[in-house]
Amino acid sequence: MIEFFFQFLWALDATLRVATPLMLCAMAGIFSERSGIVDISLEGKLLSGAFVAATIASLTGSAWLGLGGAICASVLMSLLHGFACITHKGDQVVSGVAINFLASGLTVILGIAIFKRGGQTPTLSSDERFRPIELWFVDILDNIPILGSVYRELISGHSLLVYVALICVPVASFILYRTRFGLRLRAVGESPIAVDSAGVSVTWLRYRALIVGGVFCGIAGAYLSISHGANFVREMSAGKGYIALAAVIFGNWRPIRAFWACLMFGFLDAITSRLQGVDLPIIGEIPSQLMVALPYIMTILLLSGFIGRPSPPSAIGLPYRK
Amino acid sequence: MSKMTQETSGGNAACYILELQKVCKSFGLVQANKNIDLQIQPGTIHGIIGENGAGKSTLMNILYGLHRADSGRMFIDGAPTRIKSSADALLLGIGMVHQHFMLIPRFTVLENVMLGSEGGALLKLGRAATIAKLKELGQTFDMEVDPDLLVSDLNVGMRQRVEILKALKGGAKILILDEPTGVLTPQEATQLFDILNKLRAKGVTILLITHKLAEIMAITDNVSIMRGGEMVGHRKTSETNPQELAELMVGRKVLLNVEKPEAKPMDVALTVNNLGCFSSRGHKILDNLSFEVRAGEILGIAGVSGNGQTPLMEILSGMRKPDEGSFEILGKKITPENEVTPNIMRENFIGHIPEDRHKHGLILSFEAYENMVLGFHNSNLTGTKKTLDRNYMLEHCNARMEEYDIRPRNSKLLASSFSGGNQQKIVVARELYKNPKLLIVGEPTRGVDVGAIEFIHKQLIALRDRGCAIILVSVELDEIMGLSDRILVMNKGQEVETIPGEDANAQKLGLMMAGISQGAKN
């Protein structure tokens, strides 16, 4: 029983680690998509964030500069996306895919050019990374059964960026639903012409939404390479941007619901690695490929109307023309 | 009114709340506004009338900053002004109620009204003030709306009020209404006019854009007439009449009503029995509808748009399957079990002029001659060869263009290059060519100029007199009353009542459209 409890705790702990970049990317996706811009480029922003974070941390020895660099790189990608599909009213999916390819190629080429290690960056020492931090009172609470273990194993002992991601969710929700910016942002994703006729600039509003998304993706990228990992490996985002987009759809473009979707996908990921090679009663061994594909399968089921009815922003994907 | 006379007597620009001088605007090669001059006196209702495509909406969008004029000058309260965006217009006290509402259905009334003037970075800062302001405006002008309702739950009349409230809340001194009654029942229109009168009494200046002469006569103080992108006249409403306005609008004498000989109904062509269907969300959008149409008569179907007319037409033309009931066309019975397609319907001599010609009537990126045989590509209209005979089709199209006076007479022009009226003539020419036994017509004159309206109406009556049964669906009551031999009024997918054409008037139909039956069934 005790052993099972700890197994479960560790699974949740792993879930949180896996879900952190998903949450950040999902919030980025929500901001972008709620403003009416399809954001398939989450993956590319995540990857470029990860690369720049590792590169700068490795060159300067500062994790914070790495984080800053990641955010800048990711915002730059966002602006590129915006330039193509807001200013020049291009196709948002095409632009997004282009950014993903760009990030995929550029990170490897620059990586080889700078470090000559086949696209990887050098392994960072622990003070060049965001290390797990121990929260207050861990030792005191340790004496309380169950709660103490939950606190020590699950809540405490994560990197700063994990907590940042967790805080981002309610912050995103607050911004969307309680602030002027949020109201306008949701409005521009529903009916840009209504926003325009209310005297608010559609272009600037959408750019701001993309910039916010870029910041979130940048943090997520930094988490991958200088917090969760200790260097950049080519294609290290490994589809997390797409899964985050699936979580956005699953969460019906709402931050809190998308957060739960991220946890669910994170949990699937966490148990996949634990279940590998384990014979379960009745079902037998579950192929890991199935588990990896599960988020996508579930999203397709959702989109085809088997689980609830997603209601995307009405004006999503449509460039605004007067 | 004393205020007005005093200010007109001033004679200089300062007495106008709004003045335009030589405003021009082009879209590509199309000059939508040419040297527009306009002077609006404060505290009046000023009508701007013109046909579809006369440039009214463009002009108003320039005033509201959605478009920018290419040249010309604008004065507000005598001061020269440039309006570069809606934000500028709002600051200058110009509010606009658009033809297609600028409301977000998923937002509450409050959120919609707050959008753009939230009163602070956090929504809660402005919320209480907005609610209070809404309440005050609602009471002053008799148009209270619950701020917490979702706009999607409001009917069209209420949505329009929200639009007006939104403009007033922003402090509008000049309120532009673009075709405000197009979507309203006559009763709702009357209520709107009451509100407009109250607004005028409080000193708000109103610009009313419309193509309906009756509205101009009923409520405006002054009227300006537009034709082909130009201002062709300014009148005091009390000194003009509908006939004069119509002539100014069209540029020639027009028959406001087409002559219609007595109908001679023959055999029943279509019987509809307890027809019903559901929307994709499971709402009943057509409910237990039964009627019949005889050869040689026009059955008008009136109703506020969205009350079941569209699914009815879709079912009768084979575009949609009924879920309940059946109908019988020229002896062929169709039930939910039958396979129906528009093709099968065509083979049974049914013509269909769809209500949305851009979506269902034409392929805009195809050339005229291809559109002229659309849906008949398996018939002899495409020539006798196995493949499409281009020359044959071109000749066919040329002949139809001659017959229906479609301009420009160029069969190789893209459908999108024709004006609304000529596009509709292409559809009419195509659908009438095979002499259908039953014709289903939706909004035949929407976005069509007065000249073409007259022509299309004459064609429909001629077809009727050749023994075709016609179902005419229209939200334009004048059209329904002018053409129909019998009128069926629909509300919420059901029949309210059917009355003979000669018994109809706008008042009566309006009540019926709101779902109130006017006595015994005919």
Side-chain angles (χ1 to χ4, degrees):
Chain A
M1 186 64 211
I2 292 285
E3 201 209 348
F4 178 77
F5 173 69
F6 275 99
Q7 282 282 346
F8 186 64
L9 220 52
W10 285 325
L12 287 185
D13 188 54
T15 299
L16 209 54
R17 288 175 215 277
V18 180
T20 292
L22 297 185
M23 284 181 225
L24 287 161
C25 286
M27 294 310 123
I30 286 175
F31 270 80
S32 166
E33 300 223 340
R34 273 296 182 112
S35 81
I37 307 285
V38 176
D39 205 357
I40 204 157
S41 60
L42 291 174
E43 178 78 7
K45 292 181 215 168
L46 181 66
L47 192 63
S48 26
F51 172 73
V52 173
T55 304
I56 292 187
S58 160
L59 294 177
T60 65
S62 159
W64 285 100
L65 285 179
L67 176 66
I71 290 174
C72 291
S74 169
V75 167
L76 214 61
M77 288 291 192
S78 283
L79 292 176
L80 188 63
H81 190 39
F83 184 69
C85 53
I86 303 173
T87 306
H88 289 291
K89 310 189 194 309
D91 186 290
Q92 299 169 1
V93 175
V94 173
S95 158
V97 171
I99 284 176
N100 289 345
F101 277 119
L102 184 69
S104 164
L106 213 53
T107 49
V108 175
I109 290 173
L110 289 177
I112 292 172
I114 300 170
F115 299 105
K116 305 189 173 52
R117 288 167 179 242
Q120 292 197 9
T121 64
T123 309
L124 299 167
S125 68
S126 65
D127 47 334
E128 291 165 339
R129 296 169 56 202
F130 288 98
R131 295 299 302 151
I133 47 177
E134 201 148 275
L135 294 184
W136 307 277
F137 316 124
V138 169
D139 295 327
I140 305 170
L141 286 170
D142 238 2
N143 300 325
I144 310 169
I146 302 178
L147 191 66
S149 320
V150 170
Y151 191 71
R152 174 181 282 280
E153 300 296 336
L154 182 58
I155 298 176
S156 173
H158 293 287
S159 131
L160 176 69
L161 298 184
V162 175
Y163 300 110
V164 169
L166 285 172
I167 292 166
C168 275
V169 177
V171 167
S173 183
F174 180 84
I175 293 175
L176 272 184
Y177 294 102
R178 304 285 158 134
T179 67
R180 176 173 62 194
F181 175 57
L183 180 77
R184 292 177 174 184
L185 187 120
R186 284 183 290 132
V188 82
E190 292 290 329
S191 168
I193 191 163
V195 170
D196 193 3
S197 80
V200 181
S201 162
V202 172
T203 307
W204 176 222
L205 198 49
R206 287 188 162 168
Y207 265 110
R208 276 186 290 171
L210 283 184
I211 291 170
V212 173
V215 173
F216 283 144
C217 280
I219 302 174
Y223 174 79
L224 284 187
S225 66
I226 63 172
S227 174
H228 191 63
N231 66 344
F232 175 83
V233 185
R234 56 161 72 191
E235 301 297 341
M236 81 180 302
S237 53
K240 289 191 175 63
Y242 298 118
I243 296 189
L245 200 59
V248 171
I249 298 167
F250 236 84
N252 217 353
W253 289 268
R254 289 165 171 269
I256 308 288
R257 289 195 209 172
F259 163 73
W260 290 115
C262 290
L263 283 188
M264 183 174 73
F265 292 155
F267 184 70
L268 284 175
D269 195 335
I271 57 173
T272 306
S273 41
R274 303 221 162 217
L275 288 182
Q276 237 155 33
V278 180
D279 260 320
L280 288 180
I282 307 168
I283 334 170
E285 193 183 330
I286 297 177
S288 65
Q289 292 89 339
L290 179 73
M291 300 297 272
V292 174
L294 211 53
Y296 301 110
I297 296 172
M298 288 168 78
T299 308
I300 289 168
L301 287 177
L302 178 84
L303 284 176
S304 43
F306 288 105
I307 324 168
R309 185 184 284 272
S311 46
S314 311
I316 193 161
L318 305 171
Y320 177 58
R321 290 193 179 86
K322 274 186 196 176
Chain B
M1 285 299 117
S2 65
K3 187 177 160 201
M4 193 183 96
T5 44
Q6 172 213 325
E7 286 184 339
T8 25
S9 63
N12 58 32
C15 75
Y16 299 114
I17 188 159
L18 178 68
E19 182 172 10
L20 298 181
Q21 288 177 0
K22 306 239 170 285
V23 168
C24 298
K25 173 76 186 174
S26 305
F27 296 102
L29 292 175
V30 183
Q31 188 149 28
N33 283 162
K34 251 177 280 179
N35 291 328
I36 301 287
D37 291 325
L38 182 65
Q39 292 160 342
I40 312 282
Q41 288 160 354
T44 60
I45 300 185
H46 193 111
I48 296 187
I49 194 163
E51 296 190 70
N52 288 301
K56 296 167 294 181
S57 287
T58 305
L59 185 62
M60 292 308 116
N61 284 334
I62 289 172
L63 275 183
Y64 190 61
L66 286 176
H67 293 322
R68 237 183 273 183
D70 299 334
S71 62
R73 301 204 296 164
M74 187 188 297
F75 301 88
I76 293 208
D77 286 328
T81 312
R82 302 216 70 146
I83 298 180
K84 287 190 238 115
S85 68
S86 312
D88 291 350
L90 291 166
L91 277 177
L92 289 163
I94 301 176
M96 181 154 179
V97 176
H98 297 263
Q99 189 174 359
H100 306 288
F101 298 153
M102 297 289 175
L103 295 175
I104 295 161
R106 282 193 205 161
F107 279 19
T108 63
V109 170
L110 184 65
E111 285 176 316
N112 268 292
V113 172
M114 286 180 83
L115 184 65
S117 57
E118 294 84 351
L122 296 182
L123 290 181
K124 69 174 179 192
L125 298 175
R127 190 175 314 229
T130 311
I131 293 176
K133 183 80 186 170
L134 270 183
K135 194 159 182 195
E136 182 206 315
L137 288 170
Q139 282 167 352
T140 318
F141 299 112
D142 257 347
M143 46 175 179
E144 279 166 278
V145 185
D146 181 349
D148 293 325
L149 287 179
L150 283 179
V151 166
S152 57
D153 292 338
L154 300 179
N155 65 27
V156 184
M158 291 301 271
R159 288 185 195 195
Q160 192 170 54
R161 288 181 184 193
V162 176
E163 281 279 29
I164 296 175
L165 286 168
K166 203 167 102 180
L168 293 177
K169 190 239 158 195
K173 297 179 297 180
I174 305 172
L175 188 62
I176 305 170
L177 294 121
D178 191 1
E179 301 281 0
T181 58
V183 288
L184 303 180
T185 64
Q187 278 72 20
E188 284 174 324
T190 311
Q191 286 171 4
L192 172 69
F193 288 167
D194 287 343
I195 291 171
L196 295 187
N197 277 323
K198 286 199 182 99
L199 288 169
R200 169 170 56 184
K202 296 269 176 192
V204 179
T205 308
I206 294 167
L207 260 91
L208 179 72
I209 320 306
T210 182
H211 65 277
K212 295 183 182 166
L213 293 165
E215 285 169 11
I216 293 289
M217 299 310 294
I219 190 166
T220 61
D221 300 306
N222 299 293
V223 52
S224 301
I225 304 99
M226 289 186 78
R227 185 201 326 143
E230 291 179 276
M231 276 292 172
V232 291
H234 303 278
R235 297 284 184 275
K236 264 188 160 23
T237 310
S238 53
E239 293 165 7
T240 186
N241 57 60
Q243 192 63 40
E244 184 193 17
L245 291 178
E247 281 173 33
L248 281 167
M249 266 166 76
V250 186
R252 61 177 171 85
K253 280 205 181 294
V254 279
L255 288 172
L256 286 178
N257 285 308
V258 177
E259 268 179 61
K260 182 170 72 112
E262 189 77 13
K264 296 183 193 68
M266 294 168 272
D267 299 339
V268 174
L270 168 76
T271 317
V272 172
N273 294 313
N274 311 100
L275 206 62
C277 79
F278 297 91
S279 73
S280 59
R281 291 183 174 251
H283 297 300
K284 197 148 197 178
I285 46 176
L286 203 59
D287 193 358
N288 199 17
L289 197 67
S290 301
F291 62 86
E292 56 176 42
V293 193
R294 288 171 181 273
E297 73 164 348
I298 298 180
L299 175 72
I301 295 187
V304 178
S305 105
N307 272 283
Q309 302 97 315
T310 304
L312 174 65
M313 294 182 63
E314 285 175 351
I315 290 173
L316 293 180
S317 61
M319 287 161 65
R320 177 199 269 266
K321 264 190 159 191
D323 293 316
E324 295 170 351
S326 65
F327 60 100
E328 204 174 317
I329 295 181
L330 309 166
K332 186 181 165 71
K333 186 163 179 164
I334 291 167
T335 65
E337 289 75 44
N338 288 106
E339 169 81 15
V340 282
T341 63
N343 215 5
I344 292 177
M345 292 312 205
R346 278 196 196 292
E347 282 160 13
N348 284 286
F349 304 106
I350 292 167
H352 179 208
I353 300 174
E355 51 183 343
D356 187 341
R357 65 172 164 272
H358 289 169
K359 219 161 143 192
H360 298 131
L362 295 165
I363 300 178
L364 290 174
S365 53
F366 276 19
E367 292 165 15
Y369 77 94
E370 293 172 302
N371 274 291
M372 197 57 95
V373 296
L374 220 56
F376 294 99
H377 42 272
N378 287 326
S379 75
N380 55 7
L381 290 190
T382 54
T384 45
K385 298 179 189 164
K386 280 243 185 308
T387 52
L388 299 182
D389 185 341
R390 193 152 173 269
N391 289 330
Y392 186 92
M393 286 155 67
L394 281 169
E395 262 172 48
H396 172 71
C397 186
N398 287 337
R400 299 289 80 69
M401 287 181 131
E402 205 61 48
E403 188 182 349
Y404 282 84
D405 189 23
I406 297 167
R407 291 178 217 196
R409 293 249 206 296
N410 182 353
S411 298
K412 288 184 192 164
L413 210 57
L414 293 183
S416 56
S417 311
F418 290 88
S419 73
N422 285 301
Q423 287 177 349
Q424 187 70 332
K425 280 181 179 179
I426 294 178
V427 179
V428 172
R430 180 182 73 211
E431 298 298 323
L432 265 49
Y433 179 69
K434 289 261 176 179
N435 263 322
K437 295 280 192 305
L438 172 70
L439 183 70
I440 299 152
V441 193
E443 309 293 345
T445 55
R446 179 181 282 167
V448 167
D449 53 281
V450 172
I453 290 178
E454 199 184 329
F455 181 85
I456 290 171
H457 284 176
K458 276 185 184 157
Q459 292 295 325
L460 291 178
I461 287 172
L463 185 71
R464 178 200 76 170
D465 292 339
R466 291 204 297 273
C468 177
I470 298 179
I471 296 179
L472 168 71
V473 174
S474 176
V475 292
E476 297 285 344
L477 285 185
D478 292 336
E479 180 164 79
I480 290 278
M481 291 190 293
L483 293 180
S484 311
D485 301 309
R486 289 187 299 133
I487 299 171
L488 184 157
V489 182
M490 288 184 73
N491 180 270
K492 295 187 180 146
Q494 291 174 319
E495 174 188 355
V496 181
E497 205 177 324
T498 303
I499 58 171
E502 58 265 29
D503 292 357
N505 59 49
Q507 183 67 19
K508 207 173 191 177
L509 289 179
L511 286 170
M512 286 160 63
M513 280 157 71
I516 304 158
S517 177
Q518 294 297 290
K521 268 189 105 149
N522 191 277

